[in-house]
Amino acid sequence: MKYEWKKSEKEIYLPKNEPTLIKVPRYKYFTITGQGNPNSPDFADKVSALYSLAYAVRMMPRNGFTPNGYFEYTVYPLEGVWRGGTGDKNSFSYTIMIRQPDFVDENTFEKALEIASEKKPNPNLANVKFEEIEDGLSVQMLHVGSYDDEPTSFARMAEFMNENSYQRISDTHREIYLSDPGKVTPEKLKTVLRWSVK
């Protein structure tokens, strides 16, 4: 039976469209950093590199390599940790990432790089890292609508934090992209917004 994060990890990935408090564990990710406009071809190429690696892991048994503990699963959604947000998208700095199942280790990562480089060469593959990241105590909510309208949801999160005496511990925020902007109109986009707090 295939593991599906949408069914098994609703608290993490499918929150309500109102601020909630959550404790996010340490997870494994393929990550790549960058700076500039997320609408640029460079950003799209970085996203493509991450997905090629994520699907290389997912399809490994068909390529003659089965990692220890492998199980069938749905590839996790794209996520981004962002710094900036003054309105000038060219000033943004970011780390985008795709979470990996627990069975993925350094050896699996190296094998995925090998497979992806052969199937779909991308110079950004050389800059992808395998990391473990823990968001810990966080405030998050589901934002429905355009990315440009996120400040409205952030304002609701800030109000929730003030009412409950929480403070942000970083000037970054995490976004989890549940919709494909190429297939969904801006007003229907679903994005999880998250701040790490204390």
Side-chain angles (χ1 to χ4, degrees), residues 13-14 31 50 60 72 92 98 124 143 155 157 187 194:
Y13 292 101
L14 299 172
T31 72
L50 288 175
M60 269 182 184
E72 290 275 316
F92 288 172
I98 296 178
N124 286 292
H143 171 77
M157 290 165 65
E187 65 272 13
R194 182 186 298 159

Side-chain angles (χ1 to χ4, degrees), residues 37-171:
N37 196 318
N39 297 313
S40 68
D42 177 63
F43 184 82
D45 287 345
K46 286 182 168 68
V47 171
S48 179
L50 288 175
Y51 272 112
S52 67
L53 283 173
Y55 278 98
V57 173
R58 169 75 177 77
M59 307 302 284
M60 269 182 184
R62 298 188 188 181
N63 287 292
F65 179 82
T66 304
N68 287 335
Y70 180 91
F71 53 85
E72 290 275 316
Y73 66 98
T74 302
V75 169
Y76 282 91
L78 180 72
E79 306 186 33
V81 173
W82 295 86
R83 178 177 279 108
T86 57
D88 177 12
K89 294 182 179 179
N90 295 313
S91 70
F92 288 172
S93 60
Y94 57 82
T95 301
I96 51 174
M97 62 195 76
I98 296 178
R99 187 179 149 196
Q100 297 304 301
D102 288 342
F103 67 77
V104 174
D105 57 16
E106 198 67 41
N107 186 40
T108 309
F109 172 53
E110 294 296 335
K111 188 69 178 177
L113 280 171
E114 184 184 310
I115 294 170
S117 297
E118 287 178 7
K119 289 202 167 184
K120 195 176 181 183
N122 182 329
N124 286 292
L125 288 169
N127 298 318
V128 176
K129 296 179 181 177
F130 176 48
E131 298 186 79
E132 292 192 20
I133 300 170
E134 182 176 353
D135 281 1
L137 190 65
S138 303
V139 169
Q140 71 173 22
M141 70 175 286
L142 180 67
H143 171 77
V144 181
S146 165
Y147 302 133
D148 292 334
D149 293 336
E150 287 177 0
T152 305
S153 292
F154 283 129
R156 292 177 64 192
M157 290 165 65
E159 186 179 353
F160 172 85
M161 286 173 56
N162 289 335
E163 289 172 354
N164 294 279
S165 301
Y166 288 102
Q167 296 176 328
R168 291 177 67 182
I169 60 173
S170 169
D171 62 352

